[in-house]
């Protein structure tokens, strides 16, 4: 009889300890998951709330730790057809930080793309995707601020659209870093379907 009572008591204590350990493990795992989620949330909004593409974008283009706006505006109204001796429109990129020099980009309408820090100098760089006066071949150029002046770190390259409008995701993939090396995607002129090819860009 005593043996049965002892066995019952030992079994109950073992079950209680095991249940407590399981609860501790479950509680610990939950805390870790919640912490990971809170860390992600504290970092993510800072990136996703910025305007990264459009006629107006945000970025730390001068590397002072504060974001400014870059804005495209039409600064000159054209007259007539530029192809027939008319005067084209003129567009300019200006900045909310007036210490940054404006960039006159000429004709025609354009979009800006914040590319992040491509040359790893602590400043955001940006691309300009610009429509032609006529036709469907657009242009893209990438700028970086160096010694208070804007420098083209990716020289202008052509993007034939064949009347197809590129969406934001496609535009953001055209200039990119891969293993700390800068590349662009451009159309293969020898391919009738304009297959994209990757081209390495040397930074000076």
């Amino acid at each position: 009889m005593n043996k049965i009572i002892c066995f019952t008591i030992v079994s109950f204590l073992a079950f209680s300890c095991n249940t407590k350990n399981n609860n501790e493990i479950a509680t610990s795992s939950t805390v870790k998951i919640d912490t990971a989620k809170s860390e992600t949330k504290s970092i993510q909004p800072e990136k996703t709330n910025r305007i990264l593409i459009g006629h107006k974008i945000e970025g730390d283009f001068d590397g002072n730790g504060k974001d400014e706006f870059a804005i495209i505006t039409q600064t000159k109204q054209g007259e007539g057809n530029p192809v027939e001796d008319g005067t084209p429109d003129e567009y300019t990129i200006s900045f909310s930080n007036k210490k940054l020099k404006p960039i006159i980009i000429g004709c025609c309408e354009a979009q800006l793309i914040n590319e992040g820090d491509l040359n790893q100098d602590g400043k955001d760089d940006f691309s300009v995707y610009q429509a032609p006066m006529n036709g469907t071949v657009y242009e893209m150029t990438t700028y970086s601020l160096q010694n208070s002046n804007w420098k083209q770190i990716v020289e202008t390259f052509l993007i034939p659209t064949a009347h197809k409008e590129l969406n934001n995701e496609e535009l953001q993939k055209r200039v990119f870093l891969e293993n700390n090396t800068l590349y662009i995607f451009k159309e293969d002129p020898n391919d009738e379907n304009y297959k994209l090819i990757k081209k390495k860009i040397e930074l000076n």
Side-chain angles (χ1 to χ4, degrees), residues 3-157:
K3 288 182 179 180
I4 294 173
I5 293 171
C6 289
F7 177 78
T8 304
I9 292 170
V10 170
S11 298
F12 175 78
L13 291 174
F15 175 79
S16 298
C17 291
N18 188 46
T19 302
K20 183 180 178 183
N21 288 336
N22 286 340
N23 287 337
E24 287 177 349
I25 292 169
T27 304
S28 176
S29 298
T30 304
V31 170
K32 287 182 180 178
I33 292 170
D34 289 344
T35 302
K37 284 182 179 179
S38 65
E39 286 176 357
T40 301
K41 287 179 181 177
S42 67
I43 296 170
Q44 200 62 20
E46 186 179 4
K47 296 180 180 179
T48 56
N49 288 345
R50 298 164 89 199
I51 305 169
L52 300 179
I53 186 166
H55 297 295
K56 177 181 180 179
I57 62 171
E58 294 175 76
D60 182 10
F61 305 115
D62 58 2
N64 68 351
K66 299 178 181 179
D67 279 359
E68 45 267 338
F69 288 103
I71 309 153
I72 293 179
T73 54
Q74 185 176 345
T75 48
K76 183 178 177 182
Q77 179 68 49
E79 294 182 7
N81 187 341
V83 180
E84 299 174 352
D85 297 326
T87 304
D89 297 336
E90 185 175 272
Y91 290 82
T92 300
I93 304 170
S94 56
F95 300 87
S96 58
N97 180 353
K98 299 306 178 184
K99 292 181 180 179
L100 300 179
K101 297 177 181 178
I103 306 171
I104 299 173
I105 58 174
C107 183
C108 298
E109 289 190 357
Q111 285 197 77
L112 301 172
I113 303 128
N114 184 331
E115 304 287 6
D117 187 1
L118 296 173
N119 53 5
Q120 301 177 53
D121 63 352
K123 301 185 288 287
D124 285 337
D125 308 309
F126 66 90
S127 293
V128 182
Y129 175 68
Q130 192 165 18
M133 282 191 289
N134 287 283
T136 60
V137 180
Y138 283 59
E139 295 181 344
M140 184 173 274
T141 308
T142 304
Y143 291 91
S144 180
L145 188 68
Q146 297 185 11
N147 298 320
S148 300
N149 292 306
W150 295 107
K151 179 181 178 181
Q152 293 184 8
I153 57 172
V154 177
E155 293 186 1
T156 303
F157 64 97

